[in-house]
Amino acid sequence: MAGNLEDYFRKTFEDKLLIKIPEQEDDHLSPATRLLEKRREMSEVEVALNCQKEEFEMKMEALRQRREELEKKELQLKQSMEKFDKFLKENDSKRLRAIKKATDEKEMTKVKVKEIERLNVDILQIVNERNRLQSKMEKHVIFSKFLEKTVESAEEFQEIREIITRYDTLCATHDVR
C-alpha cells in the first residue's frame, strides 16, 4: 500500500508539476540520506507549487483586469445606448414638430387662399363699381362744365358750390325735388 501511494504521488507530481522524480533504490540509503532526499524533493515540490501559485495569481489578476475592462466597456456601451436612445427620442420629437408645423402651414395656406379668393371677388366688385361711377361721371361731366361756365359768366357766384347752395335753397323754398 505504501508503494502504491508513493507511485501515485510520484506519477501525480510528474504529470501536474512536470517534474521528473528520479527512481531511487531506497534499500542502500541511510535514513538520514533518505530524509535529506525527501526534504530536497519536498523543497522542489514547494518551489513547483509556489510557481504554480504565482502563475495562478497572475492568471487571476489578468482575469480580474479583463473583468474590469469588460465592466468599463459594458458601462460605456450602456451610456452609448442611452445617448442613442435620447437622440432617437429627440429626433422623433423634432419629426413630430415638423409634421405638425407642416400641417399647420397647409391649413394656414388654405385659409389664405380662401381669403385671397374673397379679396379678389371684393376687388372685382370695387372695379365694377368704379367703372359704373366712372361711366356716370363721364355722363355728368357736361353739367360740371356748364356750372364752370356759369360761374365765369355770372357775377353773383364766385364758386360752383355757391350755385349748388342757391339751388338747394330754392328747392327747399318751393318744395320741388
Side-chain angles (χ1 to χ4, degrees), residues 156-169:
E156 77 181 84
F157 300 110
Q158 303 297 322
E159 292 182 10
I160 294 175
R161 187 89 212 114
E162 291 175 359
I163 295 173
I164 294 173
T165 304
R166 175 75 178 152
Y167 173 76
D168 288 340
T169 305

Side-chain angles (χ1 to χ4, degrees), residues 109-125:
T109 302
K110 287 179 184 177
V111 168
K112 292 296 182 181
V113 165
K114 285 182 181 179
E115 187 176 350
I116 288 170
E117 289 172 356
R118 184 187 58 78
L119 290 174
N120 281 335
V121 168
D122 289 350
I123 288 172
L124 187 60
Q125 289 174 347

